[in-house]
Amino acid sequence: MGWFWAEGAQASGHVAPHPLPNGGATPPPGCPMHAMPSSSRGSPPQNVPSGPRESSCPIQAPNKPVASTPSPSSTLSKLNPLNYMPSSLSQSRAVNQTVDLPLERTMSSIPRGDAESNWEYPSPQQMYNAMLRKGYDDTPQDAVESMVAVHNFLNEGAWAEIVEWERRFAPGLGYGWQVCKRGEEGSMAGAGREAIEDEVARPRLVRFQGRPNEMTPKAKILQLLGQVYPAKFGGEPPFDRHDWYVQRQTLTGQSREVRYVIDYYSGPPEPTGEPVFYLDVRPAVDRPRAAVERMMRWGGDVWYRASGSSVRESISR
C-alpha cells in the first residue's frame, strides 16, 4: 500500500493494536509499485484532476561535471526520490482494457514535507497501469476502484496513528509521559489536546518507502512467539510494511525527522464479509528517544491498568 504520488493482527492474538474495519475490498496480493527498494481519522479526501508533475530538481550545482548527471533516460532519473516510484504513470487506457476506470486522483489529508499541499493518491487508471507494469495481469478490472478505496483508507488510518504519536511526544518526553500515564483510553480523551496543538505545528510526511519483503523485528518476534504460543500469538505475518519519514516540529521551533514503521495485517472478515485490517504503527528504534517513546506509551498503559486507575476513574464517574 502507500501509493502516494508527488506530481493486523489476527484475532488469535497478534499485537497489531489498531483495527480498521470495512475497507470495501481486499487489498491486492502484493504492492506492485514496490519494485524499487524502497489506518480512519482525518479530513475527508477531495477529488482533484490529474496532471503532469515535475519531480526532478531544477537547480544544478555550479561547475558540476555533465558526466556525473544521470542520463534522462536512465532508471534513476525516472524515479521520484520522495517515494521511490516512477515520477509519472500513464493515465492512458491499457491494451485489452474493457472497463472504463476513473482518471481523477484523490487528495489525501496528509501534508507534504516539501510543499504547502497534501499528498495525492493515484487514480484507479494509474493503479491499474501500475499493476500491469508489475505483472499482475489477472487483476479484475472492475475491482480496481475498490482496491484504490482500501489503499486510501489504510493510508489515512496510518497517518492518524502517526499524528497521535506526534501529539504526545512532539512537545517533549515530559508532556508525553503526562499523557501516556493516563492509559490508552484516558489519553485519547483529548485533555489539553487543543492547547498543545495550537503550540506545535502538525507533522508533515517528508517521504516514504515500501519494504514488503523486509519484515520488521517486531513482526519477526511475533512470528517466533506464534510458533511457541500459537493460541495467543499465532497468525499470518503482515502483508505489507512501510517506512514513513515524518517532519516533527518541537515547542522550540526545531524540526527533526522521525522514521515510523508500519505493519499492515489482515484480520478475520466481518460476519457480513467485509474485510478487516490492523495497523501497527510506531517510531522506528533507530535512536534512543524513539525507544523511550515506545516504552512510555506501552508502560503508561500497563501502569494505568495495573495501578487500578481505570477502576477508580470508573467508580468516580
Side-chain angles (χ1 to χ4, degrees):
M1 314 310 286
W3 303 341
F4 297 103
W5 292 86
E7 346 259 86
Q10 290 70 11
S12 55
H14 257 328
V15 192
H18 308 297
L20 291 174
N22 304 332
T26 56
C31 204
M33 297 169 68
H34 287 161
M36 297 304 296
S38 16
S39 25
S40 279
R41 294 173 292 180
S43 59
Q46 302 176 356
N47 285 337
V48 298
S50 64
R53 300 282 169 164
E54 294 295 332
S55 61
S56 58
C57 180
I59 303 176
Q60 300 294 330
N63 303 322
K64 184 176 182 180
V66 176
S68 64
T69 303
S71 168
S73 61
S74 69
T75 300
L76 290 178
S77 68
K78 299 177 183 178
L79 296 180
N80 187 330
L82 298 179
N83 53 15
Y84 301 93
M85 309 288 185
S87 297
S88 63
L89 191 64
S90 174
Q91 292 269 35
S92 301
R93 189 184 184 94
V95 178
N96 300 325
Q97 181 178 334
T98 59
V99 176
D100 292 330
L101 295 175
L103 305 181
E104 293 78 16
R105 296 167 60 183
T106 300
M107 183 73 73
S108 77
S109 66
I110 306 173
R112 291 172 57 110
D114 64 336
E116 292 300 322
S117 60
N118 291 359
W119 288 89
E120 295 175 68
Y121 295 120
S123 70
Q125 184 66 62
Q126 286 179 311
M127 178 80 80
Y128 183 63
N129 288 340
M131 289 178 159
L132 294 180
R133 183 172 179 163
K134 291 306 301 171
Y136 294 99
D137 301 322
D138 58 346
T139 301
Q141 297 177 20
D142 57 358
V144 174
E145 288 190 64
S146 296
M147 291 179 179
V148 171
V150 171
H151 162 268
N152 298 356
F153 175 75
L154 291 178
N155 282 307
E156 292 295 322
W159 182 248
E161 293 294 331
I162 289 175
V163 169
E164 178 59 26
W165 277 97
E166 291 296 300
R167 180 184 75 86
R168 296 171 187 240
F169 295 108
L173 292 177
Y175 176 82
W177 174 245
Q178 294 301 316
V179 175
C180 292
K181 72 178 183 180
R182 298 197 296 267
E184 284 298 300
E185 182 179 354
S187 62
M188 297 295 288
R193 178 179 302 189
E194 294 79 6
I196 201 65
E197 286 187 347
D198 289 341
E199 298 180 30
V200 179
R202 291 179 65 82
R204 310 182 75 86
L205 179 59
V206 178
R207 65 187 188 279
F208 52 91
Q209 187 175 21
R211 304 171 65 180
N213 298 320
E214 300 178 50
M215 192 177 295
T216 62
K218 181 177 179 179
K220 290 180 180 178
I221 293 173
L222 290 175
Q223 289 299 299
L224 291 175
L225 289 174
Q227 298 177 14
V228 180
Y229 305 105
K232 182 173 179 58
F233 296 101
E236 294 296 322
F239 64 81
D240 202 359
R241 177 251 176 106
H242 274 185
D243 287 16
W244 288 17
Y245 297 81
V246 174
Q247 178 181 301
R248 170 182 292 181
Q249 294 290 341
T250 66
L251 286 174
T252 60
Q254 295 179 330
S255 176
R256 73 166 59 99
E257 190 173 274
V258 180
R259 181 168 69 97
Y260 283 86
V261 291
I262 308 169
D263 286 326
Y264 296 80
Y265 292 88
S266 293
E270 296 283 358
T272 57
E274 295 174 321
V276 174
F277 305 100
Y278 296 84
L279 304 185
D280 192 359
V281 184
R282 67 275 186 195
V285 186
D286 49 13
R287 54 195 174 87
R289 181 187 173 108
V292 173
E293 291 175 2
R294 289 172 63 163
M295 287 299 297
M296 277 188 175
R297 188 160 184 182
W298 175 80
D301 188 55
V302 171
W303 169 255
Y304 177 78
R305 290 183 281 110
S307 63
S309 297
S310 59
V311 177
R312 291 194 297 270
E313 288 186 7
S314 298
I315 295 176
S316 63
R317 291 173 184 169

